Amino acid sequence: MYKERFNSIIDKDSFYKQSIDRASQAVSDILNKDFVIDVHMHIFDIKCINKSYFIIRLLKDFIGLKGTDESFVDYDVETLYNNNSQYIEGWEEELEKELLMRQESGEVHLDGKKGIIDLIKARKFLGFKFMNDVYEHYIENFSLAKYFNLPKRNVISTALMMDLEMGWGVKTKKSFYDQVLELKELSKVKPILPFLYCDPRRADLTGKKDNLYELFNLAFKGNSSFFGVKIYPALGYDPSDYRLWPIYELCEELNIPVLTHCGGESVSTDILDLDIYEGEKKVRITAKKRREIAYILNNPNRWRLVLEKFPNLRLNFAHFGGYETWSSSSPANTDIDPQRRKETIFDFMNDYPNVYADFSYNLIEVNLSNNLKNVLYFKDHIRSRTLFGTDYWVVNKAGNLMKSQNDFLKNMDERTEGLNLSKVLCITNTMNYLFTKEEVLRILKKK
């Protein structure tokens, strides 16, 4: 039923058949120069998210508050945010002032972490109301090109969407439909590759502005086409959900790259008794805590059915399994050992020709980077399938992004006997993930 509905909506003849043709002129101009690619970053602005919900949920663990399934213990966050208008100018300063006052009075206990104060200061750009402003903030302050001594604008960036309207059931000032339109317009003039967020539950909605297949058609049809697809299972669904099959089938046919979240559990569904579809089979998963549900949904093994059905799908496991997955370089001892995640991805890399993984966000921890470096040094096949992305702006909460990404890439290049890992991760492998072999040869021949 869903395939028929998808086919009735999708105007396939108006879709670009080649990956390179979906790239805008702005991207093509960069491809003719020396460039670098940031394969994992975000430019959604304050109107794309619900400020209160997003910061409450993302920062709870960071500042030592209890999870959503437990009671808040330090202060009433909802009340604090409700005292500020949702989009009032200068809300960050008001919030910081309030938090400092409560910290000094002993109401807020941060367990030795400055955490939230540093984060709020680093997030001034959350006041930006347009994606272009967020993008420009990235280029001016965190451009990946700087590490390679290139002009800061010689970087091609993905633009990975989120859909909190479906994932959390909250309203955003800028609807998901309007976000798609804004990204289409922005991609005409900026060297970005937009990735459409796809939530299978939208397949059951009606209307051109809400239905998944209508939005997919809007995104990829005609000029200023989107470039890839973003999946985020932790927001409450299984990646093998049959309502996504028509999309995967077309992505495989047209070499549309797919990126899936496969790491941290900070942003996830709050539903602890959750009905999902594993393929066409409806099942219920339960847990006592929000992070447990997210951990289950983020398991890369949930992609096994998808890859069996669509073996040539271009798939990037973002975050390469997450923090705990790279806390050790030793093999997994049991099926529940976090190390099993990366080993599952390794197996997929061996079994399927277009499976990749990016090491984003985790770059902030040196021991994790060293464990990755050890694998890349000794495993040629894994080295050829590993990517790097900054995870701007989500990673900003963890510290100095510019310093962290420079330290990570410098570490990759030290004592690796001329492997040039920084270029392999940021250019060579990323090109092979985003474009076909023939297209890569055409791009390199032009230079």
Side-chain angles (χ1 to χ4, degrees):
M1 177 182 71
Y2 285 94
K3 185 173 182 179
E4 287 75 15
R5 186 186 304 173
F6 179 82
N7 289 336
S8 69
I9 292 172
I10 298 301
D11 184 9
K12 224 168 107 174
D13 291 338
S14 67
F15 282 34
Y16 289 114
K17 304 301 186 291
Q18 301 293 324
S19 303
I20 192 68
D21 294 331
R22 288 193 296 274
S24 68
Q25 185 60 51
V27 170
S28 296
D29 290 343
I30 298 295
L31 288 173
N32 290 328
K33 306 173 182 178
D34 290 329
F35 63 89
V36 66
I37 303 174
D38 189 345
V39 77
H40 191 125
M41 57 93 75
H42 311 271
I43 57 172
F44 39 80
D45 56 57
I46 186 63
K47 293 184 180 181
C48 301
I49 60 177
N50 180 295
K51 178 255 298 182
S52 299
Y53 275 83
F54 186 86
I55 297 183
I56 288 169
R57 294 170 190 239
L58 185 61
L59 304 194
K60 273 183 301 196
D61 301 302
F62 191 71
I63 65 175
L65 295 176
K66 297 294 184 180
T68 52
D69 51 308
E70 304 171 60
S71 60
F72 293 133
V73 294
D74 287 327
Y75 57 94
D76 187 342
V77 185
E78 290 282 4
T79 300
L80 176 60
Y81 280 107
N82 288 337
N83 287 337
N84 294 302
S85 173
Q86 177 102 7
Y87 299 100
I88 191 170
E89 299 291 342
W91 64 266
E92 301 99 327
E93 288 77 10
E94 290 296 319
L95 176 58
E96 181 178 341
K97 180 179 178 181
E98 182 83 16
L99 287 168
L100 285 171
M101 181 182 69
R102 292 183 180 226
Q103 185 177 3
E104 291 171 359
S105 68
E107 291 181 64
V108 177
H109 308 288
L110 297 179
D111 298 326
K113 299 178 183 178
K114 289 189 295 183
I116 193 168
I117 306 302
D118 293 336
L119 192 151
I120 292 299
K121 288 180 178 177
R123 294 250 176 148
K124 298 299 183 185
F125 57 87
L126 272 181
F128 295 149
K129 298 177 182 178
F130 300 99
M131 295 184 201
N132 181 63
D133 297 330
V134 182
Y135 171 79
E136 288 296 327
H137 186 82
Y138 164 77
I139 290 297
E140 292 300 321
N141 297 281
F142 306 107
S143 172
L144 188 59
K146 292 181 180 180
Y147 176 81
F148 297 90
N149 295 316
L150 298 174
K152 59 189 174 184
R153 293 191 176 273
N154 284 27
V155 55
I156 297 169
S157 310
T158 61
L160 308 178
M161 298 187 73
M162 289 288 282
D163 183 1
L164 300 185
E165 289 181 339
M166 288 303 300
W168 285 343
V170 298
K171 290 185 177 181
T172 55
K173 192 160 187 178
K174 191 181 296 181
S175 71
F176 190 73
Y177 173 83
D178 287 336
Q179 293 176 45
V180 173
L181 292 180
E182 185 173 341
L183 269 175
K184 282 177 74 74
E185 288 301 308
L186 185 59
S187 67
K188 292 179 181 179
V189 294
K190 303 293 184 182
I192 62 172
L193 302 172
F195 276 55
L196 178 73
Y197 180 91
C198 292
D199 190 315
R201 294 166 292 193
R202 278 195 178 273
D204 296 326
L205 302 183
T206 59
K208 292 184 178 296
K209 294 186 177 182
D210 297 306
N211 177 262
L212 172 62
Y213 306 144
E214 295 280 5
L215 289 165
F216 189 91
N217 196 52
L218 171 69
F220 286 90
K221 183 178 179 179
N223 294 329
S224 63
S225 168
F226 267 58
F227 193 84
V229 163
K230 165 82 179 290
I231 304 293
Y232 202 106
L235 281 177
Y237 57 92
D238 192 275
S240 69
D241 190 311
Y242 71 105
R243 291 169 291 189
L244 291 171
W245 290 359
I247 289 177
Y248 294 147
E249 181 177 344
L250 189 59
C251 287
E252 184 180 49
E253 178 185 345
L254 300 183
N255 287 303
I256 296 173
V258 177
L259 178 148
T260 180
H261 182 82
C262 182
E265 280 73 49
S266 292
V267 179
S268 60
T269 180
D270 283 339
I271 302 173
L272 302 181
D273 293 290
L274 184 67
D275 290 326
I276 61 172
Y277 282 99
E278 295 175 347
E280 297 178 285
K281 181 182 178 182
K282 188 176 183 179
V283 300
R284 171 162 287 199
I285 58 174
T286 61
K288 293 181 179 180
K289 296 182 179 180
R290 173 186 60 80
R291 279 181 172 266
E292 292 176 7
I293 286 284
Y295 193 83
I296 292 170
L297 294 173
N298 280 339
N299 189 336
N301 198 50
R302 291 189 166 274
W303 281 89
R304 191 170 299 278
L305 176 59
V306 177
L307 288 169
E308 288 173 353
K309 288 184 66 65
F310 310 102
N312 292 309
L313 190 70
R314 293 183 174 275
L315 178 62
N316 170 20
F317 286 94
H319 312 298
F320 220 138
Y323 180 92
E324 291 182 331
T325 305
W326 287 95
S327 60
S328 171
S329 59
S330 57
N333 293 318
T334 67
D335 285 338
I336 60 173
D337 188 332
Q339 309 307 310
R340 181 69 65 192
R341 279 185 170 187
K342 70 171 181 284
E343 291 175 18
T344 297
I345 298 172
F346 293 166
D347 290 341
F348 286 156
M349 288 175 172
N350 283 318
D351 295 339
Y352 298 99
N354 298 316
V355 169
Y356 294 80
D358 76 50
F359 199 80
S360 56
Y361 192 91
N362 298 326
L363 66 113
I364 61 174
E365 296 289 345
V366 175
N367 67 308
L368 306 186
S369 301
N370 286 335
N371 289 334
L372 171 70
K373 182 179 177 180
N374 185 57
V375 170
L376 298 182
Y377 185 82
F378 290 105
K379 303 288 186 181
D380 293 356
H381 192 57
I382 297 170
R383 183 167 67 243
S384 69
R385 300 291 188 84
T386 302
L387 317 171
F388 175 73
T390 61
D391 203 12
Y392 171 85
W393 49 255
V394 174
V395 74
N396 282 58
K397 78 179 182 68
N400 185 325
L401 172 57
M402 198 66 205
K403 181 179 185 302
S404 295
Q405 69 188 30
N406 286 348
D407 288 348
F408 170 82
L409 293 171
K410 182 179 179 181
N411 183 27
M412 289 295 110
D413 283 335
E414 288 180 341
R415 296 185 298 278
T416 50
E417 298 181 4
L419 290 177
N420 293 319
L421 288 181
S422 62
K423 291 185 177 180
V424 168
L425 301 183
C426 298
I427 304 173
T428 307
N429 293 352
T430 310
M431 289 272 285
N432 291 331
Y433 163 62
L434 295 174
F435 304 105
T436 65
K437 290 181 180 179
E438 294 75 17
E439 289 170 337
V440 171
L441 289 174
R442 281 169 49 196
I443 292 168
L444 294 177
K445 190 175 180 180
K446 278 184 175 182
K447 293 180 64 177

